[in-house]
Amino acid sequence: MTPPPRPRPGIGHVSLVGAGPGDPGLLTLRGAEALARAEVVVFDHLANERLLDLAPAGALRVRAGKSVGHCTLSQDQINATLVDHAEAGKRVVRLKGGDPLVFGRGSEEGAYLRERGIPFEIVPGVTSGIGATAYAGIPLTSRGVASAVAFVTGHQAPKSSQAVNAASRLDWSALAKFPGTLVFYMGVTHLADITGALVREGKPAGTPAAIVESGTTPAQRVVAGTLGTIAETAKDRGVRPPALLVVGEVVAQREALAWFESRPLFGRRIVVTRPREEAERSSAALEALGAEVLIAPTVEILPPEDHGPLDDELDRIGEYDWLVFTSANGVRGFFDRLWDRGGDLRALGGVRLAAIGPSTAEALARYRLRADLIPPSFHSESLAESLAAVAAGSRILMARADRGRTVLQDVLGKSAEVRQVAVYRNADVEGLPPALRSRIEEGGVDWITLSSPAIVARLHALLSPEGRRRVGVEIKLATISPITTAAATAVGWDVAVEAPVATWDGLVEALVAHVATSRDGS
Ligand code: SAH
């Protein structure tokens, strides 16, 4: 083996990273580390674009391919791009679908880099043959059923008129006799040639076979049949790349093992309209249940335009008996400002804390603070009533958004000394992401979740008349509370599901229950 040339001073580095088959969670920790340090990311169409979020915001992102078989850059251009950036001293990540060395041309890229004296590493990924089959519930080996597995390219299948072994670099008679599972990559356009060649070489036409399309993604689809029928079935069902063909007795075990598509919200496309800070966490709950989540914040959370009033209250916080929070954002806004001004939790002294519901209480708990009061129902009326019972004659400070309902002040103001202060600002976003707007208008969405009257109003304003018409009809609505439902009804939208308790978990549970019982499953 020739030793690698000594790195030149100032030279960068290339990581050839396997992105896994689609689900971003299947990236390795080493891959995530490489991305976190990247200055340039050159990515494939098969790599999930959400992984790009792991790279620093300032990293240059270069798209190498835009769809199957259509490369934006040729292989030569990709090689040149890697070399150019590495020679300029950059840390480059070459992000490739699945594993870089399984039908991925990673070996060519590595060899090219070696020739030019550029240091590189190879970070393996979950190849689709392993990942997509696991998500489809197909074990590649199984005791007594399959003791071997072969990964095969589907590119080199002979046409039915051709002598089998002359037209292909693969030995099809050996493949037909292979004592185990066959997994074909890149075979969708040659399915009939592949299955035909195997049958002609003696593999029984009744052997179970399946196609896994877009495995590990919300669009995953599995079409099952036999070696004799699968090509025709796939054609009828319109199977499209990327897809794998799996041939072998193990395919029959899918009935017992399929788990990914059996999750309660699998295949449902759900829009989350909450501010970005909350949307990420809220989406995770839906995604864990199998939903495809589209994040479209309609309002955003900003610091107050003028910090003066909040700062004044922070200075005299010890004079209050109660500090009341009506959202997790309020908690963050309040304590972050306290900290930024050089104070800390000791400023609170003996002031008691009220939270409108569990998420707000949880936000307090993150600062190691316990809520003294959480009302039985998680809305302003209930909070006002509970406080009125214990806080008559007290001094109460409400930390809240710059806009919103004034119930608390109205009710409590009669029996206590109530002041309110804006700790954050609810600002309307300028527009919805264009791709999402068209999906809503073209029926590419099943559900929209709504978690406040302000969000309802803003969403209504941002949609076209066609989009508005679909909402509540083809696109079902799930709301977090009666107040949000009332706001939706007021703009003419029917609400399919309302959370029985006003929390995000409550909303998700109600949505799952609705999907489970609705006959069409939509
Ligand atoms: N290096 C990749 C393979 C690249 S070749 C890997 O290790 O997975 C491209 C082929 O991979 C596609 O034609 C398809 O057969 C397969 N493939 C990639 N992603 C897939 C997915 N999510 N589901 C099913 N097949 C996939």
Side-chain angles (χ1 to χ4, degrees):
M1 197 189 97
T2 44
R6 273 157 63 90
R8 284 166 274 153
I11 194 103
H13 178 267
V14 178
S15 299
L16 300 171
V17 175
D23 180 344
L26 294 177
L27 179 76
T28 63
L29 289 176
R30 173 81 73 243
E33 278 166 21
L35 276 170
R37 287 192 309 261
E39 293 165 290
V40 180
V41 184
V42 183
F43 63 100
D44 266 0
H45 72 278
L46 280 177
N48 191 321
E49 291 195 19
R50 271 167 69 174
L51 292 176
L52 298 178
D53 294 342
L54 297 177
L60 178 67
R61 289 150 167 86
V62 183
R63 183 184 294 269
K66 57 175 183 252
S67 67
V68 179
H70 291 91
C71 259
T72 314
L73 302 178
S74 68
Q75 189 63 48
D76 287 346
Q77 287 171 317
I78 294 171
N79 291 346
T81 307
L82 299 179
V83 168
D84 286 351
H85 289 293
E87 286 194 328
K90 301 282 191 239
R91 287 185 300 276
V92 183
V93 166
R94 169 74 174 115
L95 192 61
K96 300 173 74 77
D99 178 85
L101 302 182
V102 177
F103 305 126
R105 306 190 72 167
S107 54
E108 293 162 52
E109 292 174 15
Y112 188 89
L113 294 168
R114 168 63 57 85
E115 271 170 31
R116 277 146 193 86
I118 290 166
F120 65 91
E121 65 178 347
I122 301 176
V123 182
V126 175
T127 185
S128 52
I130 304 273
T133 49
Y135 277 46
I138 301 172
L140 294 181
T141 67
S142 180
R143 258 166 77 87
V145 180
S147 302
V149 54
F151 291 156
V152 189
T153 170
H155 255 163
Q156 297 165 18
K159 298 262 171 272
S160 54
S161 55
Q162 291 168 320
V164 166
N165 288 331
S168 167
R169 274 177 283 153
L170 279 168
D171 182 340
W172 288 84
S173 74
L175 283 176
K177 293 189 198 75
F178 182 74
T181 309
L182 298 174
V183 182
F184 288 91
Y185 287 62
M186 302 173 282
V188 174
T189 45
H190 313 286
L191 278 177
D193 296 333
I194 296 168
T195 55
L198 290 172
V199 172
R200 269 182 287 150
E201 292 298 321
K203 191 145 183 97
T207 312
I211 309 245
V212 186
E213 177 186 300
S214 297
T216 80
T217 74
Q220 173 170 310
R221 183 161 67 135
V222 180
V223 176
T226 64
L227 191 55
T229 62
I230 194 79
E232 195 60 33
T233 314
K235 202 166 144 201
D236 291 347
R237 306 272 303 272
V239 167
R240 298 223 312 261
L244 295 165
L245 167 66
V246 187
V247 181
E249 297 299 330
V250 288
V251 168
Q253 295 185 29
R254 170 172 150 75
E255 292 196 1
L257 293 177
W259 61 274
F260 187 66
E261 299 136 77
S262 331
R263 291 170 309 155
L265 296 179
F266 180 78
R268 304 305 189 286
R269 285 158 303 183
I270 304 180
V271 179
V272 171
T273 49
R274 308 188 97 181
R276 195 160 289 283
E277 291 79 359
E278 292 154 2
E280 310 274 337
R281 277 183 54 200
S282 306
S283 306
L286 292 168
E287 281 172 341
L289 295 164
E292 177 182 359
V293 177
L294 308 157
I295 296 183
T298 47
V299 292
E300 58 185 331
I301 305 296
L302 299 173
E305 244 152 29
D306 173 11
H307 272 113
L310 173 56
D311 290 349
D312 290 346
E313 298 301 344
L314 285 170
D315 286 339
R316 56 162 177 258
I317 190 66
E319 296 168 18
Y320 286 96
D321 303 304
W322 283 91
L323 178 55
V324 180
F325 292 100
T326 51
S327 74
N329 289 314
V331 173
R332 281 190 291 269
F334 186 89
F335 290 106
D336 290 353
R337 183 68 188 167
L338 174 64
W339 177 261
D340 290 346
R341 293 180 73 233
D344 63 29
L345 292 181
R346 287 171 295 179
L348 291 184
V351 67
R352 286 196 281 170
L353 301 170
I356 196 166
S359 331
T360 308
E362 206 183 295
L364 282 170
R366 266 181 245 134
Y367 294 89
R368 281 294 175 258
L369 289 168
R370 225 177 280 280
D372 298 290
L373 183 147
I374 305 174
S377 299
F378 312 138
H379 50 76
S380 302
E381 285 79 0
S382 183
L383 177 60
E385 206 178 300
S386 302
L387 270 171
V390 294
S394 331
R395 292 172 56 101
I396 302 177
L397 178 64
M398 284 179 51
R400 48 165 290 164
D402 62 325
R403 64 184 188 197
R405 305 171 69 227
T406 56
V407 180
L408 275 162
Q409 170 105 31
D410 300 346
V411 175
L412 283 174
K414 296 181 197 127
S415 59
E417 194 183 320
V418 183
R419 295 175 73 102
Q420 27 187 355
V421 65
V423 290
Y424 67 96
R425 196 150 46 97
N426 250 327
D428 291 335
V429 300
E430 291 294 314
L432 294 171
L436 183 87
R437 231 180 94 119
S438 41
R439 280 183 80 167
I440 293 179
E441 282 156 19
E442 287 154 18
V445 161
D446 302 308
W447 285 89
I448 296 179
T449 56
L450 298 170
S451 52
S452 78
I455 288 176
V456 173
R458 192 60 194 152
L459 180 68
H460 190 264
L462 290 175
L463 287 173
S464 66
E466 174 56 20
R468 276 180 212 149
R469 197 193 56 71
R470 284 180 182 268
V471 174
V473 186
E474 289 120 79
I475 304 175
K476 294 188 180 174
L477 291 179
T479 73
I480 203 162
S481 68
I483 295 146
T484 310
T485 300
T489 314
V491 296
W493 287 343
D494 281 343
V495 171
V497 164
E498 180 186 288
V501 276
T503 61
W504 186 257
D505 290 349
L507 184 153
V508 173
E509 260 170 51
L511 207 159
V512 167
H514 181 97
V515 168
T517 52
S518 64
R519 263 190 53 241
D520 63 359
S522 60

